[in-house]
Amino acid sequence: MKRKIVLAFSGGMDSSVLLFMAADQGYSEIHTITFDYGQRHKREIQCIPLQQQNLQSKYPSVKFTNKVLDVSYLKDIAQTSSLTNTDIDNPVIGKIAGDAQPVSYVPFRNQMFLTICCAYAESNGIDMVWYGAAQIDSAAGYWDTSDCFIESFNSLIAHNRTHRVNIQAPLLTMSKADIIREGARLGVKFEDTWTCYSNHESGLADATTPSSSLRLQGFVSVGYRDPIQYLQQDKLEEIYKDNNCVKL
């Protein structure tokens, strides 16, 4: 019997590791759904075909399908986020300590996206949905990445009379360092992932944004160099050298 799963897949580092984890855990049919909501960091969507190629190179027997859904209405109705409103500056890592909810939070994004994933799962006879909420996301103030959010959502889904879908976030107990270690073990090509929210005109990532800073901290803490390039690359080279970081 084939094991099937639906993944909310952004093309970012965390969801790419999640993709490889699903294949490693024996899911033979992986359905991924990507949401194009007019996000500032749309570049991560470009990483999806690269990750599909990487996955199928290692797991040739796995059936992989991806749907990119246009949900740009979210940009029109959720203008309070720096990801959907370019007039709002992205937060800088040194200035978000103590924030109950960062300005990069998109109102009810995860609830909407997971609802769509569950609808797709039910329609295709699939009972498992994963998404890439990680430990640091909940700690940073994103309420829709917390244990209680997932538990509450699953309690709501349990009212379905004919098809029960279960939502899980396998990265929720993992630090960025843990995620990078797992990705390295599984052979994830981190150079084919994107994390930065800045969308800088140079095409380089910005290490001062929280998403990039946390990614870099994870790499350095496990002794690896981040394979993507940053605006602050010269400074990063010094940090890599001081911490004896090596290439993956």
Side-chain angles (χ1 to χ4, degrees), residues 175-178 180-181 215-224 243 245:
S175 66
K176 285 295 181 185
D178 294 332
I180 291 166
R181 286 193 193 95
R215 172 180 170 133
L216 281 164
Q217 289 175 31
F219 272 99
V220 172
S221 68
V222 294
Y224 292 134
N243 289 273
C245 295

Side-chain angles (χ1 to χ4, degrees), residues 155-189:
S155 294
L156 177 64
I157 296 169
H159 290 285
N160 190 317
R161 296 175 179 176
T162 60
H163 191 91
R164 301 288 175 85
V165 178
N166 183 247
I167 296 172
Q168 292 185 5
L171 306 182
L172 199 56
T173 59
M174 300 171 69
S175 66
K176 285 295 181 185
D178 294 332
I179 293 169
I180 291 166
R181 286 193 193 95
E182 180 68 358
R185 182 186 75 82
L186 294 171
V188 174
K189 293 185 178 180

Side-chain angles (χ1 to χ4, degrees), residues 8 27 35 41 63 110 117 142 146 180 183 203 218 225 233:
Y27 285 99
F35 299 95
H41 56 302
K63 179 181 179 182
N110 285 345
C117 286
Y142 296 97
S146 64
I180 291 166
R225 298 166 57 95
Q233 195 64 31

